[in-house]
Amino acid sequence: MFSFHVFEHQLARGFQNRFSTQYRCYSVSMLAGPNDRSDVEKGGKIIMPPSALDQLSRLNITYPMLFKLTNKNSDRMTHCGVLEFVADEGICYLPHWMMQNLLLEEGGLVQVESVNLMVATYSKFQPQSPDFLDITNPKAVLENALRNFACLTTGDVIAINYNEKIYELRVMETKPDKAVSIIECDMNVDFDAPLGYKEPERRPNHQDEPTAFTGSGNRLDGKTKGIEPSPAPIAPSDIKRGIPNYDFKIGRITFIRNSRPQPKKIVDDDDAMNRFIAFSGQGQSLRKKGRKP
């Protein structure tokens, strides 16, 4: 009986040390005040009323303060941290992406409970648009954006702001639990293929190989390309052998360039010298006839 009463007392004390209450939630754009609080939209933290800080300070709540948010109407839940305690009493302000995950409308009721989460060691994200591939270093961009988050919940679609553009990423997996704390942690990050991404079609290998000299080309002789002249048949009787030089004399070399005999012409020696034609098939003597050296 004694042990049972001790257990019951410790259980009741544990419930007393647990923060749990309901608030009406609104998006950050509804927050009254002159200051722009767009920084809340860039992270995963909420703004709570000052009474919540008073209650948390009286309880034995471990730091960092992490909370579980539950929409009992839709049975949707997520986890978050707290940014400030400046909201009106009975109201809390959430980032727009968090309200979408919880299926909450402006002024809807949300249950807020304090929780302790394990430190993250691994997480996997799936970009919700192929535009995320345009980022040069997505891991560095995500690491910088997650500094505004306190925890991650598997199944959530978080929103990050980069170069004045909003990118949505679904949390596909977290380790060692489905909800983890990412404050001061060494976490490995991985990515799935973006939603709607299609790999480029691969062509057959033979089409990828370059082909040299693909032009049509032209012949230098002006004839049509690809038509080779067919040689005319030659009869054995048409083949002529070389004509011997019967006037050959020792000490004189005559080059005959034409196989056909040329008609002999009787011309004066001086005339012959002046009318000499190179490579005509006729030899000429450098020594004029009738003159002695």
Side-chain angles (χ1 to χ4, degrees), residues 58-257:
R58 291 193 300 266
L59 299 174
N60 187 19
I61 302 299
T62 59
Y63 287 86
M65 293 182 181
L66 303 177
F67 302 92
K68 176 183 177 181
L69 306 182
T70 307
N71 181 3
K72 294 184 178 181
N73 294 331
S74 62
D75 200 22
R76 300 288 293 269
M77 68 91 180
T78 187
H79 297 79
C80 67
V82 58
L83 184 64
E84 292 179 356
F85 295 91
V86 295
D88 296 334
E89 292 300 328
I91 294 176
C92 68
Y93 295 95
L94 279 63
H96 182 66
W97 67 264
M98 195 175 292
M99 294 187 65
Q100 286 184 323
N101 286 330
L102 295 173
L103 301 178
L104 284 170
E105 297 181 355
E106 300 289 345
L109 289 176
V110 61
Q111 184 75 26
V112 181
E113 304 174 48
S114 60
V115 293
N116 294 325
L117 299 178
M118 301 179 67
V119 178
T121 58
Y122 173 82
S123 61
K124 180 186 287 187
F125 299 86
Q126 183 190 36
Q128 299 299 288
S129 172
D131 295 342
F132 190 74
L133 298 177
D134 298 335
I135 300 177
T136 304
N137 193 344
K139 283 191 175 182
V141 171
L142 180 61
E143 179 182 356
N144 184 61
L146 289 180
R147 294 176 182 176
N148 299 319
F149 288 73
C151 46
L152 293 173
T153 306
T154 301
D156 277 0
V157 177
I158 66 173
I160 63 174
N161 190 322
Y162 177 70
N163 281 348
E164 304 300 329
K165 187 174 182 179
I166 302 298
Y167 296 93
E168 293 184 339
L169 297 96
R170 181 177 295 277
V171 183
M172 303 298 294
E173 183 181 359
T174 56
K175 292 181 181 180
D177 204 351
K178 291 185 177 181
V180 291
S181 170
I182 60 172
I183 298 176
E184 296 182 359
C185 70
D186 186 10
M187 179 178 65
N188 295 322
V189 177
D190 198 4
F191 291 98
D192 269 346
L195 190 66
Y197 172 74
K198 294 182 180 180
E199 293 187 0
E201 297 180 359
R202 296 182 179 180
R203 298 180 179 180
N205 294 332
H206 66 272
Q207 293 185 3
D208 294 337
E209 297 178 357
T211 305
F213 307 112
T214 58
S216 59
N218 295 315
R219 289 175 58 116
L220 296 177
D221 56 5
K223 297 181 179 179
T224 305
K225 180 186 174 184
I227 301 177
E228 298 293 338
S230 55
I234 302 176
S237 58
D238 296 336
I239 301 176
K240 298 181 180 180
R241 299 179 63 85
I243 301 174
N245 184 7
Y246 297 104
D247 297 331
F248 172 75
K249 294 181 180 180
I250 297 176
R252 186 175 67 179
I253 299 177
T254 304
F255 296 94
I256 302 176
R257 300 296 181 180

